[in-house]
Amino acid sequence: MIIALKHDARREEITGFTAFLEKQGVRVHLSEGASQTVLGLVGDTSGIDEEGLMAHHLVEKVIRVQEPYKRANRMFHPEDTRIDINAAGGKTQHIGAGYLGVIAGPCSVETREQIITVAKAVKEAGAGFLRGGAFKPRTSPYSFQGLGCGGLDLLLEAKKETGLPVVTELMAIHQLEVFDGVDLIQVGARNMQNFTLLRELGRCKKPVLLKRGLASTITELLMAAEYIMAGGNDRIILCERGIRTFDSYTRNTLDLSAVPALKRHTHLPVIVDPSHATGIAWMVPAMAKAAVAAGADGVIIEVHNNPETALCDGEQSITPDAFAALMGTLKKYAEFEGKYLP
Ligand code: PEP
Ligand code: MN
């Protein structure tokens, strides 16, 4: 971090300010020019608050050289992280470090027949994980909110039936009490900056699928991951799921450039959700392929046995047949990228 001081900063004030900075665990190098003094901060600056420094009367400008996240930063952990997930009784599934993870299933768990049918179909097609929302964050309070605990029970039945580890969204801390059987906890886009929730997940032993907020920057996503990691949980998978832009043709705009950007700055696996990114079923296969080509470590895809009657996100859900066809293609893309899709 570089701090340019105001022209009229006096020597004794600078000495005091330097001592104040050093107390925060960094070394300070002073460069005195003819008209300006610059302080170079060396060491771990992640705990130093840039905005706070800007409020100091001696400070003209602050330039951050190092990213504000440490545990998520590839600089301190150059190798890719692989997340291993084992559903009791099933085989261990991997995401990251050369393993392409495919998560598939309906937006929401609706009925026993629906979730078991879809679970069997996606397993047969080669998916490694089953998704299905039990607690749904809906824009309208009058829309289907998910089956809640009943939905979780059905999801766990589908897990038992297929051996697939399950992924479902956690909306509030108290729901953790009923998440024992869940293998991968999703933090949805709307909760990406729910810092209380993130802190609690830092204390949790389960891996977390962290989705990018609707209007969140790449750094904000990484800082959200840092919250969880700072609490001691480093099993995080990041997910690009589309962001808000001016165009309304698609539900969101898939920011595929987030994939190489994230992979450059973090060692955590990065997956893509082409379903929520586009909101249009026929676009999902093209964007899933593009995600793998862009270097993603996996995809999460909404699959429904009867999209027309789905209680949530039917228009973006693909059928089991379309999913099976897509899996065949993704295998080839994965191979081309040097990734393993079991
Ligand atoms: C979902 O996965 O069904 C979901 C609600 O996702 P997001 O948080 O990305 O909107
Ligand atoms: Mn959905």
Side-chain angles (χ1 to χ4, degrees), residues 193-236:
Q193 285 191 318
N194 181 338
F195 300 117
T196 324
L197 193 64
L198 300 179
R199 278 214 184 279
E200 194 61 35
L201 289 171
R203 286 191 277 270
C204 168
K205 297 277 170 281
K206 290 184 190 286
V208 175
L209 174 63
L210 180 62
K211 299 186 92 176
R212 182 179 182 182
L214 279 71
S216 297
T217 64
I218 284 167
T219 303
E220 284 165 343
L221 173 58
L222 289 167
M223 290 306 284
E226 189 78 11
Y227 255 92
I228 303 173
M229 296 176 95
N233 184 357
D234 52 12
R235 296 169 76 205
I236 301 168

mmCIF file of all heavy atoms in Angstrom, residues 193-236:
data_model
loop_
_atom_site.group_PDB
_atom_site.id
_atom_site.type_symbol
_atom_site.label_atom_id
_atom_site.label_comp_id
_atom_site.label_asym_id
_atom_site.label_seq_id
_atom_site.Cartn_x
_atom_site.Cartn_y
_atom_site.Cartn_z
ATOM 1 N N GLN A 193 -23.619 -10.894 0.532
ATOM 2 C CA GLN A 193 -23.033 -9.955 1.498
ATOM 3 C C GLN A 193 -23.780 -9.940 2.826
ATOM 4 O O GLN A 193 -23.768 -8.937 3.535
ATOM 5 C CB GLN A 193 -22.948 -8.550 0.901
ATOM 6 C CG GLN A 193 -21.802 -8.444 -0.109
ATOM 7 C CD GLN A 193 -21.507 -7.025 -0.518
ATOM 8 O OE1 GLN A 193 -22.428 -6.243 -0.742
ATOM 9 N NE2 GLN A 193 -20.240 -6.682 -0.638
ATOM 10 N N ASN A 194 -24.389 -11.073 3.150
ATOM 11 C CA ASN A 194 -24.991 -11.209 4.483
ATOM 12 C C ASN A 194 -23.853 -11.647 5.409
ATOM 13 O O ASN A 194 -23.578 -12.830 5.590
ATOM 14 C CB ASN A 194 -26.116 -12.250 4.435
ATOM 15 C CG ASN A 194 -26.806 -12.424 5.767
ATOM 16 O OD1 ASN A 194 -26.239 -12.109 6.806
ATOM 17 N ND2 ASN A 194 -28.013 -12.942 5.728
ATOM 18 N N PHE A 195 -23.173 -10.657 5.944
ATOM 19 C CA PHE A 195 -21.917 -10.934 6.643
ATOM 20 C C PHE A 195 -22.101 -11.777 7.901
ATOM 21 O O PHE A 195 -21.211 -12.537 8.268
ATOM 22 C CB PHE A 195 -21.179 -9.623 6.934
ATOM 23 C CG PHE A 195 -20.843 -8.874 5.661
ATOM 24 C CD1 PHE A 195 -21.377 -7.616 5.405
ATOM 25 C CD2 PHE A 195 -20.026 -9.446 4.700
ATOM 26 C CE1 PHE A 195 -21.082 -6.946 4.227
ATOM 27 C CE2 PHE A 195 -19.721 -8.790 3.509
ATOM 28 C CZ PHE A 195 -20.259 -7.531 3.270
ATOM 29 N N THR A 196 -23.249 -11.658 8.543
ATOM 30 C CA THR A 196 -23.499 -12.475 9.738
ATOM 31 C C THR A 196 -23.573 -13.944 9.328
ATOM 32 O O THR A 196 -23.018 -14.826 9.984
ATOM 33 C CB THR A 196 -24.841 -12.060 10.394
ATOM 34 O OG1 THR A 196 -25.000 -10.656 10.246
ATOM 35 C CG2 THR A 196 -24.906 -12.433 11.839
ATOM 36 N N LEU A 197 -24.275 -14.186 8.221
ATOM 37 C CA LEU A 197 -24.403 -15.553 7.701
ATOM 38 C C LEU A 197 -23.019 -16.092 7.291
ATOM 39 O O LEU A 197 -22.650 -17.233 7.592
ATOM 40 C CB LEU A 197 -25.363 -15.536 6.507
ATOM 41 C CG LEU A 197 -25.890 -16.849 5.967
ATOM 42 C CD1 LEU A 197 -26.745 -17.555 7.002
ATOM 43 C CD2 LEU A 197 -26.728 -16.624 4.710
ATOM 44 N N LEU A 198 -22.253 -15.255 6.604
ATOM 45 C CA LEU A 198 -20.917 -15.672 6.143
ATOM 46 C C LEU A 198 -20.021 -16.028 7.333
ATOM 47 O O LEU A 198 -19.314 -17.033 7.309
ATOM 48 C CB LEU A 198 -20.263 -14.573 5.302
ATOM 49 C CG LEU A 198 -20.995 -14.149 4.020
ATOM 50 C CD1 LEU A 198 -20.233 -13.034 3.314
ATOM 51 C CD2 LEU A 198 -21.192 -15.326 3.064
ATOM 52 N N ARG A 199 -20.073 -15.215 8.362
ATOM 53 C CA ARG A 199 -19.257 -15.478 9.553
ATOM 54 C C ARG A 199 -19.633 -16.820 10.180
ATOM 55 O O ARG A 199 -18.782 -17.590 10.588
ATOM 56 C CB ARG A 199 -19.438 -14.367 10.591
ATOM 57 C CG ARG A 199 -18.585 -13.169 10.315
ATOM 58 C CD ARG A 199 -18.121 -12.522 11.616
ATOM 59 N NE ARG A 199 -17.373 -11.308 11.331
ATOM 60 C CZ ARG A 199 -16.093 -11.294 10.977
ATOM 61 N NH1 ARG A 199 -15.423 -12.425 10.880
ATOM 62 N NH2 ARG A 199 -15.493 -10.156 10.730
ATOM 63 N N GLU A 200 -20.941 -17.073 10.254
ATOM 64 C CA GLU A 200 -21.409 -18.328 10.842
ATOM 65 C C GLU A 200 -20.915 -19.514 10.001
ATOM 66 O O GLU A 200 -20.492 -20.540 10.522
ATOM 67 C CB GLU A 200 -22.941 -18.306 10.912
ATOM 68 C CG GLU A 200 -23.551 -19.368 11.793
ATOM 69 C CD GLU A 200 -23.129 -19.276 13.258
ATOM 70 O OE1 GLU A 200 -22.948 -18.159 13.763
ATOM 71 O OE2 GLU A 200 -22.972 -20.357 13.880
ATOM 72 N N LEU A 201 -20.949 -19.358 8.681
ATOM 73 C CA LEU A 201 -20.487 -20.445 7.808
ATOM 74 C C LEU A 201 -18.980 -20.650 7.940
ATOM 75 O O LEU A 201 -18.461 -21.725 7.646
ATOM 76 C CB LEU A 201 -20.896 -20.175 6.362
ATOM 77 C CG LEU A 201 -22.409 -20.323 6.138
ATOM 78 C CD1 LEU A 201 -22.807 -19.825 4.761
ATOM 79 C CD2 LEU A 201 -22.843 -21.783 6.312
ATOM 80 N N GLY A 202 -18.286 -19.636 8.396
ATOM 81 C CA GLY A 202 -16.854 -19.759 8.663
ATOM 82 C C GLY A 202 -16.594 -20.746 9.796
ATOM 83 O O GLY A 202 -15.555 -21.392 9.844
ATOM 84 N N ARG A 203 -17.576 -20.861 10.679
ATOM 85 C CA ARG A 203 -17.421 -21.783 11.820
ATOM 86 C C ARG A 203 -17.957 -23.171 11.501
ATOM 87 O O ARG A 203 -17.867 -24.086 12.302
ATOM 88 C CB ARG A 203 -18.178 -21.224 13.035
ATOM 89 C CG ARG A 203 -17.480 -20.050 13.682
ATOM 90 C CD ARG A 203 -18.130 -19.707 15.016
ATOM 91 N NE ARG A 203 -19.300 -18.872 14.814
ATOM 92 C CZ ARG A 203 -19.267 -17.551 14.778
ATOM 93 N NH1 ARG A 203 -18.133 -16.919 14.937
ATOM 94 N NH2 ARG A 203 -20.364 -16.852 14.584
ATOM 95 N N CYS A 204 -18.547 -23.303 10.311
ATOM 96 C CA CYS A 204 -19.223 -24.542 9.939
ATOM 97 C C CYS A 204 -18.233 -25.481 9.241
ATOM 98 O O CYS A 204 -17.271 -25.045 8.627
ATOM 99 C CB CYS A 204 -20.375 -24.117 9.028
ATOM 100 S SG CYS A 204 -21.186 -25.390 8.143
ATOM 101 N N LYS A 205 -18.474 -26.768 9.345
ATOM 102 C CA LYS A 205 -17.520 -27.738 8.779
ATOM 103 C C LYS A 205 -17.866 -28.126 7.337
ATOM 104 O O LYS A 205 -17.149 -28.880 6.699
ATOM 105 C CB LYS A 205 -17.497 -29.021 9.633
ATOM 106 C CG LYS A 205 -17.020 -28.785 11.063
ATOM 107 C CD LYS A 205 -15.497 -28.766 11.144
ATOM 108 C CE LYS A 205 -14.970 -28.302 12.482
ATOM 109 N NZ LYS A 205 -14.982 -26.821 12.674
ATOM 110 N N LYS A 206 -18.985 -27.620 6.851
ATOM 111 C CA LYS A 206 -19.409 -28.043 5.510
ATOM 112 C C LYS A 206 -18.896 -27.093 4.424
ATOM 113 O O LYS A 206 -18.745 -25.899 4.682
ATOM 114 C CB LYS A 206 -20.937 -28.063 5.448
ATOM 115 C CG LYS A 206 -21.553 -29.182 6.274
ATOM 116 C CD LYS A 206 -23.052 -29.204 6.073
ATOM 117 C CE LYS A 206 -23.713 -30.141 7.046
ATOM 118 N NZ LYS A 206 -23.502 -31.557 6.703
ATOM 119 N N PRO A 207 -18.669 -27.639 3.218
ATOM 120 C CA PRO A 207 -18.259 -26.745 2.133
ATOM 121 C C PRO A 207 -19.401 -25.810 1.705
ATOM 122 O O PRO A 207 -20.564 -26.126 1.897
ATOM 123 C CB PRO A 207 -17.876 -27.704 0.999
ATOM 124 C CG PRO A 207 -18.520 -28.996 1.324
ATOM 125 C CD PRO A 207 -18.721 -29.040 2.809
ATOM 126 N N VAL A 208 -19.016 -24.687 1.135
ATOM 127 C CA VAL A 208 -19.991 -23.649 0.776
ATOM 128 C C VAL A 208 -19.885 -23.309 -0.712
ATOM 129 O O VAL A 208 -18.790 -23.125 -1.236
ATOM 130 C CB VAL A 208 -19.730 -22.368 1.615
ATOM 131 C CG1 VAL A 208 -20.651 -21.234 1.187
ATOM 132 C CG2 VAL A 208 -19.881 -22.658 3.110
ATOM 133 N N LEU A 209 -21.047 -23.242 -1.362
ATOM 134 C CA LEU A 209 -21.119 -22.757 -2.742
ATOM 135 C C LEU A 209 -21.571 -21.306 -2.648
ATOM 136 O O LEU A 209 -22.714 -21.025 -2.282
ATOM 137 C CB LEU A 209 -22.143 -23.597 -3.536
ATOM 138 C CG LEU A 209 -22.439 -23.116 -4.954
ATOM 139 C CD1 LEU A 209 -21.199 -23.173 -5.831
ATOM 140 C CD2 LEU A 209 -23.541 -23.966 -5.583
ATOM 141 N N LEU A 210 -20.667 -20.399 -2.952
ATOM 142 C CA LEU A 210 -20.936 -18.967 -2.770
ATOM 143 C C LEU A 210 -21.229 -18.319 -4.118
ATOM 144 O O LEU A 210 -20.351 -18.241 -4.983
ATOM 145 C CB LEU A 210 -19.709 -18.315 -2.103
ATOM 146 C CG LEU A 210 -19.776 -16.825 -1.822
ATOM 147 C CD1 LEU A 210 -20.906 -16.480 -0.846
ATOM 148 C CD2 LEU A 210 -18.433 -16.334 -1.267
ATOM 149 N N LYS A 211 -22.476 -17.860 -4.297
ATOM 150 C CA LYS A 211 -22.847 -17.273 -5.584
ATOM 151 C C LYS A 211 -22.608 -15.765 -5.588
ATOM 152 O O LYS A 211 -22.765 -15.105 -4.559
ATOM 153 C CB LYS A 211 -24.311 -17.607 -5.901
ATOM 154 C CG LYS A 211 -24.535 -19.129 -6.000
ATOM 155 C CD LYS A 211 -25.925 -19.486 -6.458
ATOM 156 C CE LYS A 211 -25.975 -19.632 -7.967
ATOM 157 N NZ LYS A 211 -27.317 -20.089 -8.419
ATOM 158 N N ARG A 212 -22.235 -15.269 -6.746
ATOM 159 C CA ARG A 212 -21.954 -13.837 -6.878
ATOM 160 C C ARG A 212 -23.245 -13.031 -6.757
ATOM 161 O O ARG A 212 -24.266 -13.396 -7.346
ATOM 162 C CB ARG A 212 -21.318 -13.590 -8.251
ATOM 163 C CG ARG A 212 -20.935 -12.142 -8.495
ATOM 164 C CD ARG A 212 -20.290 -12.005 -9.859
ATOM 165 N NE ARG A 212 -19.857 -10.650 -10.126
ATOM 166 C CZ ARG A 212 -19.291 -10.270 -11.266
ATOM 167 N NH1 ARG A 212 -19.090 -11.156 -12.231
ATOM 168 N NH2 ARG A 212 -18.925 -9.020 -11.447
ATOM 169 N N GLY A 213 -23.200 -11.939 -6.028
ATOM 170 C CA GLY A 213 -24.367 -11.077 -5.882
ATOM 171 C C GLY A 213 -24.799 -10.468 -7.207
ATOM 172 O O GLY A 213 -23.997 -10.354 -8.136
ATOM 173 N N LEU A 214 -26.047 -10.063 -7.283
ATOM 174 C CA LEU A 214 -26.623 -9.536 -8.530
ATOM 175 C C LEU A 214 -25.852 -8.335 -9.078
ATOM 176 O O LEU A 214 -25.816 -8.110 -10.278
ATOM 177 C CB LEU A 214 -28.075 -9.103 -8.291
ATOM 178 C CG LEU A 214 -29.148 -10.175 -8.299
ATOM 179 C CD1 LEU A 214 -29.063 -11.073 -7.082
ATOM 180 C CD2 LEU A 214 -30.520 -9.558 -8.390
ATOM 181 N N ALA A 215 -25.288 -7.555 -8.194
ATOM 182 C CA ALA A 215 -24.545 -6.368 -8.640
ATOM 183 C C ALA A 215 -23.237 -6.271 -7.857
ATOM 184 O O ALA A 215 -22.849 -5.197 -7.417
ATOM 185 C CB ALA A 215 -25.392 -5.117 -8.441
ATOM 186 N N SER A 216 -22.604 -7.413 -7.680
ATOM 187 C CA SER A 216 -21.364 -7.424 -6.901
ATOM 188 C C SER A 216 -20.149 -7.495 -7.806
ATOM 189 O O SER A 216 -20.176 -8.168 -8.841
ATOM 190 C CB SER A 216 -21.335 -8.633 -5.962
ATOM 191 O OG SER A 216 -22.387 -8.536 -5.042
ATOM 192 N N THR A 217 -19.101 -6.827 -7.388
ATOM 193 C CA THR A 217 -17.859 -6.871 -8.159
ATOM 194 C C THR A 217 -17.119 -8.173 -7.835
ATOM 195 O O THR A 217 -17.442 -8.859 -6.857
ATOM 196 C CB THR A 217 -16.937 -5.689 -7.797
ATOM 197 O OG1 THR A 217 -16.555 -5.836 -6.418
ATOM 198 C CG2 THR A 217 -17.637 -4.356 -7.997
ATOM 199 N N ILE A 218 -16.119 -8.429 -8.644
ATOM 200 C CA ILE A 218 -15.296 -9.622 -8.430
ATOM 201 C C ILE A 218 -14.584 -9.526 -7.078
ATOM 202 O O ILE A 218 -14.524 -10.501 -6.320
ATOM 203 C CB ILE A 218 -14.322 -9.767 -9.614
ATOM 204 C CG1 ILE A 218 -15.130 -10.308 -10.814
ATOM 205 C CG2 ILE A 218 -13.139 -10.666 -9.291
ATOM 206 C CD1 ILE A 218 -14.466 -10.237 -12.130
ATOM 207 N N THR A 219 -14.109 -8.347 -6.744
ATOM 208 C CA THR A 219 -13.436 -8.181 -5.444
ATOM 209 C C THR A 219 -14.416 -8.398 -4.301
ATOM 210 O O THR A 219 -14.069 -9.021 -3.287
ATOM 211 C CB THR A 219 -12.769 -6.791 -5.354
ATOM 212 O OG1 THR A 219 -11.861 -6.673 -6.451
ATOM 213 C CG2 THR A 219 -12.012 -6.603 -4.059
ATOM 214 N N GLU A 220 -15.646 -7.913 -4.444
ATOM 215 C CA GLU A 220 -16.633 -8.129 -3.378
ATOM 216 C C GLU A 220 -16.933 -9.614 -3.185
ATOM 217 O O GLU A 220 -17.102 -10.084 -2.055
ATOM 218 C CB GLU A 220 -17.928 -7.352 -3.679
ATOM 219 C CG GLU A 220 -17.791 -5.864 -3.411
ATOM 220 C CD GLU A 220 -18.903 -5.014 -4.021
ATOM 221 O OE1 GLU A 220 -19.621 -5.490 -4.926
ATOM 222 O OE2 GLU A 220 -19.034 -3.852 -3.605
ATOM 223 N N LEU A 221 -16.981 -10.349 -4.300
ATOM 224 C CA LEU A 221 -17.198 -11.802 -4.191
ATOM 225 C C LEU A 221 -16.035 -12.444 -3.424
ATOM 226 O O LEU A 221 -16.232 -13.272 -2.532
ATOM 227 C CB LEU A 221 -17.349 -12.415 -5.599
ATOM 228 C CG LEU A 221 -17.413 -13.941 -5.686
ATOM 229 C CD1 LEU A 221 -18.563 -14.519 -4.869
ATOM 230 C CD2 LEU A 221 -17.570 -14.388 -7.148
ATOM 231 N N LEU A 222 -14.824 -12.030 -3.778
ATOM 232 C CA LEU A 222 -13.658 -12.597 -3.096
ATOM 233 C C LEU A 222 -13.608 -12.188 -1.622
ATOM 234 O O LEU A 222 -13.209 -12.979 -0.763
ATOM 235 C CB LEU A 222 -12.374 -12.178 -3.827
ATOM 236 C CG LEU A 222 -12.218 -12.869 -5.192
ATOM 237 C CD1 LEU A 222 -11.124 -12.209 -6.018
ATOM 238 C CD2 LEU A 222 -11.919 -14.353 -5.006
ATOM 239 N N MET A 223 -14.063 -10.994 -1.321
ATOM 240 C CA MET A 223 -14.097 -10.564 0.087
ATOM 241 C C MET A 223 -15.164 -11.343 0.864
ATOM 242 O O MET A 223 -14.989 -11.610 2.055
ATOM 243 C CB MET A 223 -14.357 -9.056 0.190
ATOM 244 C CG MET A 223 -13.195 -8.193 -0.290
ATOM 245 S SD MET A 223 -11.627 -8.577 0.493
ATOM 246 C CE MET A 223 -11.855 -7.821 2.096
ATOM 247 N N ALA A 224 -16.248 -11.714 0.184
ATOM 248 C CA ALA A 224 -17.282 -12.531 0.832
ATOM 249 C C ALA A 224 -16.698 -13.910 1.166
ATOM 250 O O ALA A 224 -16.907 -14.450 2.261
ATOM 251 C CB ALA A 224 -18.504 -12.657 -0.070
ATOM 252 N N ALA A 225 -15.922 -14.457 0.217
ATOM 253 C CA ALA A 225 -15.251 -15.742 0.471
ATOM 254 C C ALA A 225 -14.271 -15.587 1.632
ATOM 255 O O ALA A 225 -14.152 -16.457 2.499
ATOM 256 C CB ALA A 225 -14.513 -16.206 -0.783
ATOM 257 N N GLU A 226 -13.592 -14.449 1.658
ATOM 258 C CA GLU A 226 -12.606 -14.181 2.711
ATOM 259 C C GLU A 226 -13.269 -14.186 4.097
ATOM 260 O O GLU A 226 -12.686 -14.657 5.069
ATOM 261 C CB GLU A 226 -11.932 -12.832 2.430
ATOM 262 C CG GLU A 226 -10.748 -12.514 3.315
ATOM 263 C CD GLU A 226 -9.454 -13.244 2.920
ATOM 264 O OE1 GLU A 226 -9.394 -13.844 1.833
ATOM 265 O OE2 GLU A 226 -8.508 -13.226 3.726
ATOM 266 N N TYR A 227 -14.507 -13.674 4.175
ATOM 267 C CA TYR A 227 -15.256 -13.690 5.445
ATOM 268 C C TYR A 227 -15.387 -15.118 5.966
ATOM 269 O O TYR A 227 -15.178 -15.390 7.148
ATOM 270 C CB TYR A 227 -16.677 -13.140 5.224
ATOM 271 C CG TYR A 227 -16.869 -11.745 5.756
ATOM 272 C CD1 TYR A 227 -16.656 -10.647 4.945
ATOM 273 C CD2 TYR A 227 -17.256 -11.533 7.077
ATOM 274 C CE1 TYR A 227 -16.824 -9.358 5.422
ATOM 275 C CE2 TYR A 227 -17.432 -10.251 7.568
ATOM 276 C CZ TYR A 227 -17.219 -9.166 6.731
ATOM 277 O OH TYR A 227 -17.386 -7.905 7.213
ATOM 278 N N ILE A 228 -15.768 -16.030 5.055
ATOM 279 C CA ILE A 228 -15.958 -17.426 5.472
ATOM 280 C C ILE A 228 -14.608 -18.030 5.855
ATOM 281 O O ILE A 228 -14.470 -18.702 6.877
ATOM 282 C CB ILE A 228 -16.634 -18.237 4.337
ATOM 283 C CG1 ILE A 228 -17.970 -17.592 3.938
ATOM 284 C CG2 ILE A 228 -16.840 -19.696 4.757
ATOM 285 C CD1 ILE A 228 -18.632 -18.214 2.720
ATOM 286 N N MET A 229 -13.608 -17.740 5.037
ATOM 287 C CA MET A 229 -12.281 -18.315 5.283
ATOM 288 C C MET A 229 -11.650 -17.769 6.557
ATOM 289 O O MET A 229 -10.945 -18.486 7.276
ATOM 290 C CB MET A 229 -11.373 -18.058 4.083
ATOM 291 C CG MET A 229 -11.875 -18.749 2.827
ATOM 292 S SD MET A 229 -10.886 -18.354 1.391
ATOM 293 C CE MET A 229 -9.752 -19.732 1.386
ATOM 294 N N ALA A 230 -11.919 -16.514 6.851
ATOM 295 C CA ALA A 230 -11.348 -15.902 8.048
ATOM 296 C C ALA A 230 -11.853 -16.613 9.299
ATOM 297 O O ALA A 230 -11.185 -16.628 10.334
ATOM 298 C CB ALA A 230 -11.691 -14.416 8.098
ATOM 299 N N GLY A 231 -13.033 -17.230 9.190
ATOM 300 C CA GLY A 231 -13.589 -17.958 10.327
ATOM 301 C C GLY A 231 -13.056 -19.381 10.437
ATOM 302 O O GLY A 231 -13.377 -20.104 11.370
ATOM 303 N N GLY A 232 -12.285 -19.817 9.433
ATOM 304 C CA GLY A 232 -11.668 -21.138 9.514
ATOM 305 C C GLY A 232 -12.208 -22.158 8.524
ATOM 306 O O GLY A 232 -11.761 -23.297 8.509
ATOM 307 N N ASN A 233 -13.167 -21.769 7.703
ATOM 308 C CA ASN A 233 -13.694 -22.716 6.710
ATOM 309 C C ASN A 233 -13.150 -22.323 5.335
ATOM 310 O O ASN A 233 -13.529 -21.294 4.778
ATOM 311 C CB ASN A 233 -15.230 -22.661 6.717
ATOM 312 C CG ASN A 233 -15.856 -23.685 5.783
ATOM 313 O OD1 ASN A 233 -15.146 -24.406 5.075
ATOM 314 N ND2 ASN A 233 -17.179 -23.744 5.766
ATOM 315 N N ASP A 234 -12.255 -23.156 4.798
ATOM 316 C CA ASP A 234 -11.678 -22.774 3.509
ATOM 317 C C ASP A 234 -12.196 -23.639 2.357
ATOM 318 O O ASP A 234 -11.631 -23.638 1.266
ATOM 319 C CB ASP A 234 -10.138 -22.775 3.566
ATOM 320 C CG ASP A 234 -9.592 -24.069 4.114
ATOM 321 O OD1 ASP A 234 -10.378 -25.028 4.233
ATOM 322 O OD2 ASP A 234 -8.383 -24.122 4.428
ATOM 323 N N ARG A 235 -13.289 -24.362 2.615
ATOM 324 C CA ARG A 235 -13.857 -25.191 1.535
ATOM 325 C C ARG A 235 -14.959 -24.404 0.834
ATOM 326 O O ARG A 235 -16.140 -24.541 1.119
ATOM 327 C CB ARG A 235 -14.374 -26.499 2.109
ATOM 328 C CG ARG A 235 -13.225 -27.328 2.696
ATOM 329 C CD ARG A 235 -13.761 -28.477 3.482
ATOM 330 N NE ARG A 235 -14.243 -29.535 2.614
ATOM 331 C CZ ARG A 235 -15.161 -30.429 2.967
ATOM 332 N NH1 ARG A 235 -15.719 -30.358 4.153
ATOM 333 N NH2 ARG A 235 -15.531 -31.375 2.129
ATOM 334 N N ILE A 236 -14.535 -23.555 -0.111
ATOM 335 C CA ILE A 236 -15.488 -22.675 -0.791
ATOM 336 C C ILE A 236 -15.377 -22.837 -2.296
ATOM 337 O O ILE A 236 -14.275 -22.921 -2.844
ATOM 338 C CB ILE A 236 -15.219 -21.209 -0.418
ATOM 339 C CG1 ILE A 236 -15.347 -21.052 1.102
ATOM 340 C CG2 ILE A 236 -16.184 -20.253 -1.124
ATOM 341 C CD1 ILE A 236 -14.832 -19.752 1.613
#
